[in-house]
Amino acid sequence: MAVIEAKPLPLTSKVAVEKDDFQHLVTVAQKYVVQEMQEGKLKKLLREAKKTIADLKTKIESLVAELAATEDELTQYKSVRS
């Protein structure tokens, strides 16, 4: 990790840094912003995926129950025919 040395300027509350250090700081800040944006997008996609999974689990449970009811009905018809 690079250490950026800030030198106080006389008669102000501002500081001065070397141009290379400033460019390095800008580059790191830009990379951080891009990373945060990507992380936000990934979190949104993860939430959507979890919702889709929950919806699919609910649909599967519904279909399994419907299948069981249909199998019971088929069993009743088979027993009547026998």
Side-chain angles (χ1 to χ4, degrees):
M1 182 172 165
V3 175
I4 298 176
E5 182 181 334
K7 300 171 189 157
L9 295 176
L11 305 176
T12 70
S13 61
K14 297 180 181 179
V15 294
V17 294
E18 296 290 325
K19 186 175 182 175
D20 289 343
D21 289 341
F22 179 76
Q23 283 303 115
H24 178 70
L25 185 61
V26 168
T27 302
V28 169
Q30 289 171 339
K31 288 179 181 180
Y32 175 77
V33 169
V34 169
Q35 179 183 349
E36 287 295 311
M37 289 173 56
Q38 289 174 341
E39 188 174 319
K41 288 178 185 177
L42 289 173
K43 284 181 180 180
K44 180 182 176 189
L45 288 171
L46 180 60
R47 280 193 305 272
E48 291 173 358
K50 286 180 178 180
K51 183 184 180 315
T52 301
I53 289 169
D55 292 346
L56 289 172
K57 283 182 178 180
T58 302
K59 183 68 175 175
I60 288 170
E61 289 172 3
S62 169
L63 290 172
V64 166
E66 186 178 333
L67 178 61
T70 304
E71 287 174 341
D72 290 343
E73 187 178 340
L74 181 59
T75 302
Q76 289 175 3
Y77 286 134
K78 284 182 177 178
S79 67
V80 170
R81 287 185 62 186
S82 297

